[in-house]
Amino acid sequence: MGLEIIPYDRKFIRDHFSCGKPALDNYIRNTVTKDVKSGVCTCFVIVDGQQRVAAFYTLSTDSIQIDDAPDDLKKRIHYPHIPVILLGRLAVHKEFLGQGYGKLLLVNALKKSLHVAKDKIGAMAVIVDPIDDEALKFYKKFGFTHLPDSGRMFMTMKKIEEAFEGVKG
């Protein structure tokens, strides 16, 4: 049976969640319900057989100033801000590390972002704010690059679309 990534529901058990990063643990335990309810973000989860959150990610809209954008985007955009989708948080419970959950969540988030950018709202890229060096290496491994003069990383929708060309599912 394959893993299923589903929308967050407050009924899921979160108080046990521990990924080793207090900010992410605290978020899923204490803040996510309020953020989802208020529309600040959407959250998607993998739950285990007992309905406990095993992994999660969040998406929301954002923008970056044109001055902070890479040169290739600056040439194509004539607005002060560039619309993007923020992959705000991505975390896997320690118990499930090394089993591909992080990659699975990232691929799912990029597919959702591409779909939304093509069919629902405009967005030029997905951006992330790596929480530490481990996260930075993770995103870099999957093709994210640094925004100039920023700790943020990005991947253009064009690059995401090219990555999925010819991939089934």
Side-chain angles (χ1 to χ4, degrees):
M1 181 172 118
L3 294 173
E4 187 178 8
I5 299 171
I6 56 177
Y8 167 80
D9 189 306
R10 67 181 300 163
K11 72 180 178 191
F12 298 140
I13 300 166
R14 306 176 313 277
D15 59 352
H16 75 291
F17 191 88
S18 178
C19 68
K21 300 181 190 325
L24 294 171
D25 294 344
N26 182 59
Y27 182 79
I28 194 66
R29 291 177 189 168
N30 302 310
T31 308
V32 68
T33 300
K34 181 183 75 164
D35 281 0
V36 169
K37 186 177 180 180
S38 68
V40 170
C41 69
T42 57
C43 181
F44 297 90
V45 298
I46 297 172
V47 295
D48 67 11
Q50 288 81 43
Q51 298 293 290
R52 295 180 306 166
V53 173
F56 73 96
Y57 73 85
T58 63
L59 293 175
S60 60
T61 58
D62 202 348
S63 68
I64 57 173
Q65 291 186 358
I66 190 71
D67 294 339
D68 295 334
D71 289 337
D72 65 321
L73 288 182
K74 286 180 186 178
K75 294 174 188 171
R76 296 186 279 154
I77 306 298
H78 304 288
Y79 298 103
H81 293 88
I82 297 174
V84 296
I85 295 175
L86 173 64
L87 174 53
R89 293 170 180 83
L90 186 152
V92 178
H93 189 290
K94 288 179 185 178
E95 182 180 332
F96 301 97
L97 289 176
Q99 298 180 37
Y101 285 33
K103 178 181 178 181
L104 182 66
L105 289 176
L106 179 60
V107 168
N108 187 268
L110 294 176
K111 283 182 178 180
K112 281 187 186 341
S113 297
L114 181 61
H115 171 73
V116 167
K118 288 183 73 167
D119 299 334
K120 308 284 183 199
I121 62 168
M124 301 264 328
V126 171
I127 60 169
V128 295
D129 294 303
I131 194 168
D132 58 19
D133 286 343
E134 181 183 8
L136 188 140
K137 289 175 189 170
F138 173 80
Y139 290 117
K140 189 173 185 175
K141 178 172 111 176
F142 290 103
F144 280 79
T145 55
H146 287 279
L147 283 171
D149 304 318
S150 168
R152 298 185 121 182
M153 299 178 81
F154 79 103
M155 184 182 293
T156 64
M157 289 300 171
K158 181 179 180 185
K159 186 173 180 179
I160 295 167
E161 187 169 28
E162 289 170 358
F164 288 123
E165 283 180 3
V167 175
K168 300 284 185 215

